[in-house]
Amino acid sequence: MSPSTTSVASPTTGASSAFGLGSGAFAKFGAAKTPKTPGGVLDFGSVMGSSGKTPVLEKQLKDLGSRPSKASLTESSKASVTSAHPLRDSWAFWYRPPISKSNGFVEYEKTLHAIASFDTVEDFFSVYQHLKRPSTLPLVSDYHIFKKGIRPVWEDDENKKGGKWIVRLKKGVADRYWEDLVYAIVGDQFAEASEEVCGAVLSVRNGEDILSIWTSVDGGRVLRIRETMKRILAFPPDTKVEWKSHDSSIQQRTAIDDARKDKANQHNHNSPTTARNLNKENDHSDKK
């Protein structure tokens, strides 16, 4: 049974506890909403306006009158550093857009696009508030959030000995579950098992969305990750959470890729252009 929207609390209500900062720190940043109609996955222009300046920013520039001194910039920088709330780990958002079949075979890693990385609560929200909601993404696209330095591919050294917990969601609930999971991962809510959490993926598909959390190991601690995931996301009791090792995923993809390559080679061999070239070669050989 797919999780339903009625079983999940609003993502923002538990965010302060997720980051362990109290209501004040989170309230300042949590109020920012994702733009409803951004032009891209990460589109600052739609938020800032075509000129890149909001009315408030315009007023600030007018009031400033001149560029700030080096001393004031230094003081401002110090204040910014001391007021920032560092995260336990540095993280990065990635996006994989739909790939047209007309492009032929393309290695998976080459289709991934790094969006931005962050290591403080403030930097996280400065990026996250500009990301499109998963429900607005095109079909066969993916969001990834991974620890900085870990590529969102099975073959990465940090991933290859682990696997992933998978939950298949019915359409219409992915926005909330994805946001809750991102908050939990960034906010270090997996306790001792946080070391084994590499990242999470949301795959937008036709008829369903697939949420998964990736681990660096496949031992006993992955069970704790599953139980923490179920508790944080408040899944209904009968929700199916499946485990799949990256080894089995690699073997499955290798078989699929080999089949695609064979099909592409067969198509090229049987194409009219290839046939004409073969006929020309035969004509030339007959004349010799």
Side-chain angles (χ1 to χ4, degrees):
M1 175 179 175
S2 297
S4 63
T5 54
T6 56
S7 64
V8 184
S10 173
T12 55
T13 58
S16 59
S17 61
F19 285 96
L21 298 174
S23 58
F26 188 85
K28 179 179 179 182
F29 300 97
K33 301 296 182 182
T34 303
K36 293 183 179 179
T37 55
V41 174
L42 183 64
D43 186 359
F44 292 96
S46 63
V47 180
M48 298 295 290
S50 58
S51 66
K53 299 176 183 177
T54 63
V56 174
L57 181 58
E58 291 278 12
K59 183 177 185 302
Q60 289 175 340
L61 290 175
K62 289 179 180 178
D63 292 343
L64 190 59
S66 61
R67 295 180 64 183
S69 66
K70 185 179 292 186
S72 65
L73 285 174
T74 302
E75 291 301 318
S76 175
S77 177
K78 288 180 179 178
S80 176
V81 170
T82 56
S83 63
H85 298 85
L87 300 171
R88 172 174 172 170
D89 297 289
S90 297
W91 297 87
F93 277 114
W94 298 71
Y95 174 65
R96 181 178 184 266
I99 305 300
S100 173
K101 291 183 179 179
S102 62
N103 293 325
F105 175 78
V106 182
E107 289 184 18
Y108 182 85
E109 190 168 356
K110 292 181 179 179
T111 65
L112 295 167
H113 301 275
I115 299 175
S117 60
F118 52 90
D119 56 12
T120 67
V121 174
E122 290 77 7
D123 286 345
F124 163 70
F125 279 110
S126 70
V127 174
Y128 185 74
Q129 67 177 328
H130 296 293
L131 293 179
K132 277 188 173 183
R133 296 289 187 183
S135 58
T136 67
L137 297 179
L139 292 177
V140 198
S141 59
D142 306 286
Y143 264 150
H144 306 75
I145 180 170
F146 274 75
K147 288 176 180 174
K148 191 174 181 180
I150 300 179
R151 298 169 299 144
V153 295
W154 302 318
E155 297 83 359
D156 188 273
D157 288 341
E158 294 295 324
N159 295 327
K160 62 184 180 182
K161 294 181 180 179
K164 58 185 176 181
W165 288 111
I166 305 167
V167 180
R168 299 181 182 276
L169 307 170
K170 69 178 183 180
K171 285 294 186 180
V173 301
D175 288 0
R176 183 167 293 178
Y177 280 116
W178 173 246
E179 183 164 280
D180 278 353
L181 184 57
V182 168
Y183 282 161
I185 289 176
V186 173
D188 195 26
Q189 290 299 291
F190 285 83
E192 295 178 3
S194 292
E195 290 292 336
E196 282 74 45
V197 173
C198 294
V201 181
L202 180 70
S203 301
V204 179
R205 298 295 183 263
N206 185 26
E208 66 177 3
D209 297 316
I210 305 170
L211 187 67
S212 61
I213 184 165
W214 289 31
T215 72
S216 60
V217 296
D218 61 0
R221 284 200 177 187
V222 298
L223 297 177
R224 187 178 302 177
I225 292 173
R226 180 193 63 186
E227 295 309 306
T228 304
M229 180 185 185
K230 290 168 65 176
R231 174 178 56 81
I232 289 173
L233 301 185
F235 289 143
D238 56 349
T239 299
K240 188 175 182 180
V241 183
E242 307 170 89
W243 170 258
K244 188 172 186 179
S245 70
H246 292 324
D247 272 344
S248 62
S249 296
I250 291 172
Q251 293 173 12
Q252 183 179 1
R253 174 182 281 176
T254 300
I256 293 173
D257 287 348
D258 288 345
R260 285 176 178 171
K261 288 178 182 178
D262 290 342
K263 186 175 181 180
N265 291 335
Q266 185 178 4
H267 174 75
N268 292 334
H269 181 74
N270 295 331
S271 67
T273 302
T274 303
R276 285 196 298 270
N277 290 336
L278 288 174
N279 289 334
K280 287 181 180 179
E281 290 177 5
N282 291 333
D283 290 342
H284 288 309
S285 62
D286 291 340
K287 292 177 182 178
K288 289 182 180 179

